[in-house]
Structure formats: C-alpha cells, structure tokens
Amino acid sequence: MHLFFTPNREFEKMKQYKVGLVGIGAVGTEMIKVLRQRQFPASEIRVLATRERDEVIAGETFHVLETKPESFEGLDIVLFAGTEGSKGASKMWGKVATDKGAFVIDNGDDFRMHDDVPLVIPEINADDMEAMIRKGSRFIANPNCSTIITLMGIAALHRVNPLRHMTAVTFQSVSGAGRAAIEELGTQMKQVANGEATEPKAFAHQIVANVIPQIGGPKPEMPGFTTEEAKLTFESRKILGAPNLRIACTCVRVPVFYAHSIAVHATFERPFTVEEVREIIRKAPGVELVDDLPSAVYPMPKDFGGKDNVGIGRIRIDPSEENGIALWCSGDNIRKGAALNAVQIAEELIKRELV
Ligand SMILES: NC(=O)c1ccc[n+]([C@@H]2O[C@H](COP(=O)([O-])OP(=O)(O)OC[C@H]3O[C@@H](n4cnc5c(N)ncnc54)[C@H](OP(=O)(O)O)[C@@H]3O)[C@@H](O)[C@H]2O)c1
C-alpha cells in the first residue's frame, strides 16, 4: 500500500511526479514534512528503508517497504536519506535507482566529491547543476549540513567581492547525528538532572553539560582534522568553484537538539563595510538578517530550529585580517541543512524542465 498525495486546486494541472524516499530517520521524516508543506507535485511518495513496517509522520501513515531493486520501478526522483558507507543506502541502491531511470538526490557524503556529481545549494549553484545534468548526470548530492548553513551568507558576499580565506568554528546540534542521538540527549538530560550516571552510545562522551570537539573520525589526508572538518573544507571549494580557497575549521558537537550555529571569519578581495554586508544579506535568498547586538538580537538555535531561512548576525569588521569580516549564523541542519535543500533541488529539476 502506498499513500497518494491529493494535490490542491492550484496544483491540479501541474505534472505529477513519482517520488521515492530511502531512509526514514531524522532527515527522511523531515523530508516528508517538507514535501507536504511545500505541496510538492507528487502523485506518489514511496518510502523505503531496511525493513517493512508502518510509520506515522505528521499524522499520516506511510507503509515503509524493504528496499529491493524492484522498489525503484517507475520512480522519477529518489531522495536518499539513509546512512553513509558501504552498507548505507546510497552505495547499495543509488546506482540501481539511476539505472531504473530516476534522478537521485543524495544526502550522504559518499559521492559528494565525485567530478560528475553536482553538489548543490539551489540558491548558490543551480546553474552548475543544470549544466552537468544536460551533460548526462542523474545523481545529485546535497552538501553537508554545516557547509550549507555556512555558505548561505558567505556565497552571497562572495558573488559581490571574491572570498579569499575563511575560518569557521561550528556549534552542531545532536540531530546532526540522527534519530538515536536526539533520543540520547533527551535521556541524558533526565539522567543528569536526577544525579544518575549516563551511558554514551551515539557519541564518544556524555553530551549533556558538555561540548565535544570532534565530529567524525580523523581524516588521514588532513592530519589533525576530522572528516566533518574535511567536508566543510572540500565541499565549500567545490560549491563556490574556488578550488584553491584557504579554509580551516573546527567542528564541535553541543547539547542542542536542532539547528547548527557557525562562527565565521572571512577575508575578501576588497574591504567591505558592515552596512554593505548587511545590505547583501538583507537581499539574499534563504537568509535572514538578525543583527542588533545592543538589543541582544542575533540568530540562535532555539529560534532557527524548525525555520527554513538561515539567520545571520554579529556582523563586524575582523581587525585581525586585511579585508576581514566576522559573522555568526544559525540554521536548521535537518531542514535547510538536509531535507529542505534536497526538496528544493527536486523543485529546481522541475522548474528547469530537467525531469
Ligand atoms: N541529521 C542531519 O542533520 C543530516 C544533515 C545532512 C545530511 N545528513 C545525512 O543524511 C543521511 C540520513 O541521516 P539521518 O540523520 O536521517 O540518519 P538516521 O536517523 O540514522 O536514519 C537513517 C535511515 O536510513 C535507513 N537506512 C540505512 N541503511 C539503509 C540501507 N542500506 N537501505 C535502505 N535504508 C537504509 C534506515 O532504515 P531503518 O529505519 O529501517 O533502520 C533509517 O531509516 C545520512 O547520510 C546523513 O549523513 C544528515
């Protein structure tokens, strides 16, 4: 049994698409909500995971099917929200889906840096995606959540005044590590409040009343850095089309449920004034200026969890670097950092008549 989307009147005449979704954890669940909220023209949403069962999402029951080659039959677009690695969904099923004729939009890290895979933030590089698809690519990658949230404001500035160098420190919520990690923060909050011992499983250390300066394992190609830090580095270069961009970052897990925050220091070819930066951010799509330090107004995860826009504030001149700017951003890692960005890519495929 599959559930079918009943389009409202506005969408009645629009072409409808058969959409597959592989993985129904933190990101997959949010993808269903985003598809419904944006009234995506889907005649079918076929949900696949490791085993068959029913899942209730935002009051709607989905019959989840075990993923098999025949599960991809007839689908136009498949959103992948499964775990990464050799036993993960995209490595096991990504090629099967494209061979069956579907476009794949993958949330994981397995293929992001492949030359023939567009790595896309629609507000930034949808034209690059279109050019690659017209040359035959059918597999599209969604960037890492911290990369997306960091670049939403920085790319808008880079379009006006080329970026020369960037350092970033991330404050990443536990939802970035999936459904089990969200549950672990809730459990540990109660345990710590009751004076009980905690038993870390999703993270190497207790996350409550703590911050963990490690996300991912060591990255041998970048001695001293982690895999998450390497993602932010290499993906930013690819998305901005700036292969020699100097970037360094430290990625930190914090005891926050939803929304990642990033402190960014960046230098540009020419100097910016604070007012110029604010004006660019005010006009850029997908971002929101939240910047009034004397009134204690800046983006915070408690306000940007659940929101589509990335908030940007604490904009100031960085006096430690020539042409330097510092800023702070917060954005929902599950929405703009994953599910929303993937659905926006699918919408872009439709808008540009690529699918
Ligand atoms: N969380 C974030 O903020 C975030 C942001 C950006 C990107 N991502 C990426 O998005 C992906 C999903 O993350 P998540 O946080 O939603 O993970 P999650 O909560 O752990 O959920 C993973 C889902 O993938 C399914 N799955 C795993 N291996 C599969 C396979 N071989 N075939 C079919 N289904 C499989 C699981 O099925 P069962 O339910 O049957 O076990 C589960 O539904 C990951 O690649 C992650 O790196 C996450």
Side-chain angles (χ1 to χ4, degrees), residues 296-322:
V297 171
Y298 23 72
M300 290 183 286
K302 83 171 181 55
D303 302 323
F304 277 82
K307 263 194 163 182
D308 286 352
N309 284 343
V310 171
I312 299 182
R314 296 296 321 274
I315 295 169
R316 59 210 188 272
I317 301 292
D318 176 353
S320 71
E321 292 280 0
E322 198 179 355

Short mmCIF file of all heavy atoms in Angstrom, two decimals, residues 296-322:
data_model
loop_
_atom_site.label_atom_id
_atom_site.label_comp_id
_atom_site.label_asym_id
_atom_site.label_seq_id
_atom_site.Cartn_x
_atom_site.Cartn_y
_atom_site.Cartn_z
N ALA A 296 20.71 42.72 22.17
CA ALA A 296 20.90 41.26 22.35
C ALA A 296 20.14 40.45 21.30
O ALA A 296 19.54 39.41 21.59
CB ALA A 296 20.50 40.82 23.76
N VAL A 297 20.16 40.94 20.04
CA VAL A 297 19.46 40.25 18.95
C VAL A 297 20.48 39.65 17.99
O VAL A 297 21.33 40.37 17.44
CB VAL A 297 18.53 41.24 18.20
CG1 VAL A 297 17.98 40.60 16.93
CG2 VAL A 297 17.40 41.70 19.10
N TYR A 298 20.44 38.34 17.86
CA TYR A 298 21.30 37.59 16.95
C TYR A 298 20.65 36.23 16.74
O TYR A 298 19.76 35.85 17.50
CB TYR A 298 22.73 37.42 17.52
CG TYR A 298 22.81 37.55 19.02
CD1 TYR A 298 22.32 36.55 19.84
CD2 TYR A 298 23.35 38.69 19.62
CE1 TYR A 298 22.38 36.68 21.22
CE2 TYR A 298 23.39 38.83 21.00
CZ TYR A 298 22.90 37.82 21.79
OH TYR A 298 22.92 37.95 23.15
N PRO A 299 21.03 35.50 15.69
CA PRO A 299 20.39 34.20 15.48
C PRO A 299 20.85 33.19 16.54
O PRO A 299 22.04 33.15 16.88
CB PRO A 299 20.90 33.77 14.09
CG PRO A 299 21.78 34.84 13.60
CD PRO A 299 22.06 35.81 14.68
N MET A 300 19.89 32.41 17.02
CA MET A 300 20.22 31.35 17.99
C MET A 300 19.49 30.08 17.59
O MET A 300 18.40 30.15 17.00
CB MET A 300 19.81 31.78 19.40
CG MET A 300 20.66 32.90 19.97
SD MET A 300 20.21 33.31 21.66
CE MET A 300 18.68 34.18 21.41
N PRO A 301 20.06 28.92 17.94
CA PRO A 301 19.41 27.67 17.54
C PRO A 301 17.98 27.55 18.04
O PRO A 301 17.13 26.99 17.36
CB PRO A 301 20.31 26.57 18.10
CG PRO A 301 21.38 27.24 18.88
CD PRO A 301 21.35 28.69 18.60
N LYS A 302 17.68 28.08 19.22
CA LYS A 302 16.31 27.95 19.74
C LYS A 302 15.30 28.66 18.83
O LYS A 302 14.14 28.31 18.79
CB LYS A 302 16.21 28.45 21.19
CG LYS A 302 16.04 29.93 21.34
CD LYS A 302 15.73 30.31 22.77
CE LYS A 302 15.53 31.81 22.90
NZ LYS A 302 14.52 32.41 22.04
N ASP A 303 15.76 29.67 18.10
CA ASP A 303 14.86 30.40 17.20
C ASP A 303 14.91 29.88 15.77
O ASP A 303 13.97 30.07 15.00
CB ASP A 303 15.24 31.90 17.18
CG ASP A 303 15.17 32.50 18.57
OD1 ASP A 303 14.24 32.10 19.32
OD2 ASP A 303 16.04 33.31 18.93
N PHE A 304 16.01 29.26 15.37
CA PHE A 304 16.15 28.84 13.97
C PHE A 304 15.91 27.35 13.75
O PHE A 304 15.79 26.92 12.61
CB PHE A 304 17.49 29.33 13.38
CG PHE A 304 17.34 30.77 12.94
CD1 PHE A 304 17.45 31.81 13.84
CD2 PHE A 304 17.00 31.07 11.63
CE1 PHE A 304 17.23 33.12 13.46
CE2 PHE A 304 16.78 32.39 11.23
CZ PHE A 304 16.90 33.42 12.16
N GLY A 305 15.78 26.56 14.83
CA GLY A 305 15.34 25.17 14.67
C GLY A 305 13.90 25.22 14.15
O GLY A 305 13.08 25.95 14.70
N GLY A 306 13.63 24.50 13.07
CA GLY A 306 12.26 24.48 12.52
C GLY A 306 12.02 25.56 11.47
O GLY A 306 10.96 25.60 10.86
N LYS A 307 13.00 26.47 11.29
CA LYS A 307 12.83 27.53 10.28
C LYS A 307 13.50 27.15 8.98
O LYS A 307 14.47 26.40 8.98
CB LYS A 307 13.51 28.81 10.79
CG LYS A 307 12.57 29.78 11.45
CD LYS A 307 13.25 31.14 11.59
CE LYS A 307 12.23 32.21 11.85
NZ LYS A 307 12.83 33.52 11.94
N ASP A 308 13.05 27.73 7.87
CA ASP A 308 13.68 27.45 6.58
C ASP A 308 14.90 28.34 6.34
O ASP A 308 15.90 27.90 5.77
CB ASP A 308 12.68 27.67 5.43
CG ASP A 308 11.66 26.54 5.37
OD1 ASP A 308 11.83 25.55 6.11
OD2 ASP A 308 10.71 26.65 4.59
N ASN A 309 14.82 29.60 6.75
CA ASN A 309 15.93 30.53 6.50
C ASN A 309 17.09 30.29 7.45
O ASN A 309 16.91 29.82 8.57
CB ASN A 309 15.46 31.98 6.68
CG ASN A 309 14.64 32.45 5.50
OD1 ASN A 309 14.67 31.84 4.44
ND2 ASN A 309 13.90 33.53 5.69
N VAL A 310 18.28 30.69 7.00
CA VAL A 310 19.46 30.71 7.88
C VAL A 310 19.58 32.14 8.43
O VAL A 310 19.52 33.11 7.66
CB VAL A 310 20.73 30.34 7.06
CG1 VAL A 310 21.99 30.57 7.88
CG2 VAL A 310 20.64 28.89 6.60
N GLY A 311 19.72 32.26 9.73
CA GLY A 311 19.85 33.58 10.35
C GLY A 311 21.31 34.02 10.38
O GLY A 311 22.20 33.20 10.61
N ILE A 312 21.54 35.31 10.11
CA ILE A 312 22.92 35.82 10.12
C ILE A 312 22.97 37.09 10.95
O ILE A 312 22.13 37.99 10.79
CB ILE A 312 23.42 36.08 8.68
CG1 ILE A 312 23.40 34.74 7.93
CG2 ILE A 312 24.82 36.70 8.67
CD1 ILE A 312 23.88 34.77 6.53
N GLY A 313 23.95 37.16 11.85
CA GLY A 313 24.09 38.34 12.70
C GLY A 313 25.52 38.46 13.21
O GLY A 313 26.43 37.81 12.69
N ARG A 314 25.69 39.29 14.25
CA ARG A 314 27.03 39.59 14.81
C ARG A 314 28.01 39.99 13.69
O ARG A 314 29.19 39.62 13.71
CB ARG A 314 27.59 38.37 15.58
CG ARG A 314 26.84 37.94 16.83
CD ARG A 314 26.82 38.97 17.94
NE ARG A 314 28.08 39.69 18.10
CZ ARG A 314 29.11 39.29 18.83
NH1 ARG A 314 29.05 38.16 19.47
NH2 ARG A 314 30.20 40.03 18.93
N ILE A 315 27.50 40.72 12.72
CA ILE A 315 28.36 41.11 11.58
C ILE A 315 29.26 42.24 12.05
O ILE A 315 28.81 43.24 12.61
CB ILE A 315 27.49 41.57 10.38
CG1 ILE A 315 26.66 40.38 9.87
CG2 ILE A 315 28.36 42.16 9.27
CD1 ILE A 315 25.58 40.75 8.86
N ARG A 316 30.57 42.06 11.84
CA ARG A 316 31.53 43.07 12.27
C ARG A 316 32.80 42.97 11.43
O ARG A 316 33.04 41.94 10.79
CB ARG A 316 31.85 42.93 13.76
CG ARG A 316 32.42 41.56 14.12
CD ARG A 316 32.02 41.20 15.55
NE ARG A 316 32.69 39.98 16.02
CZ ARG A 316 32.23 38.75 15.86
NH1 ARG A 316 31.12 38.52 15.20
NH2 ARG A 316 32.90 37.72 16.34
N ILE A 317 33.57 44.05 11.45
CA ILE A 317 34.87 44.01 10.80
C ILE A 317 35.80 43.16 11.66
O ILE A 317 35.81 43.30 12.89
CB ILE A 317 35.46 45.44 10.68
CG1 ILE A 317 34.53 46.36 9.87
CG2 ILE A 317 36.88 45.43 10.14
CD1 ILE A 317 34.43 46.02 8.39
N ASP A 318 36.55 42.25 11.03
CA ASP A 318 37.54 41.46 11.77
C ASP A 318 38.88 42.18 11.66
O ASP A 318 39.52 42.16 10.60
CB ASP A 318 37.62 40.05 11.14
CG ASP A 318 38.71 39.19 11.78
OD1 ASP A 318 39.48 39.72 12.61
OD2 ASP A 318 38.78 38.00 11.45
N PRO A 319 39.31 42.83 12.73
CA PRO A 319 40.52 43.65 12.64
C PRO A 319 41.80 42.82 12.56
O PRO A 319 42.88 43.36 12.30
CB PRO A 319 40.49 44.49 13.92
CG PRO A 319 39.68 43.68 14.87
CD PRO A 319 38.74 42.83 14.07
N SER A 320 41.70 41.50 12.74
CA SER A 320 42.92 40.67 12.73
C SER A 320 43.37 40.33 11.32
O SER A 320 44.45 39.77 11.14
CB SER A 320 42.68 39.38 13.53
OG SER A 320 41.81 38.52 12.83
N GLU A 321 42.54 40.63 10.32
CA GLU A 321 42.87 40.27 8.93
C GLU A 321 42.54 41.43 8.01
O GLU A 321 41.52 42.10 8.20
CB GLU A 321 42.03 39.06 8.48
CG GLU A 321 42.35 37.75 9.16
CD GLU A 321 43.57 37.05 8.58
OE1 GLU A 321 44.19 37.58 7.64
OE2 GLU A 321 43.88 35.97 9.10
N GLU A 322 43.35 41.61 6.97
CA GLU A 322 43.04 42.64 5.98
C GLU A 322 41.75 42.25 5.24
O GLU A 322 41.59 41.08 4.85
CB GLU A 322 44.19 42.73 4.97
CG GLU A 322 44.17 44.03 4.20
CD GLU A 322 45.34 44.12 3.21
OE1 GLU A 322 46.19 43.20 3.21
OE2 GLU A 322 45.37 45.07 2.46
#
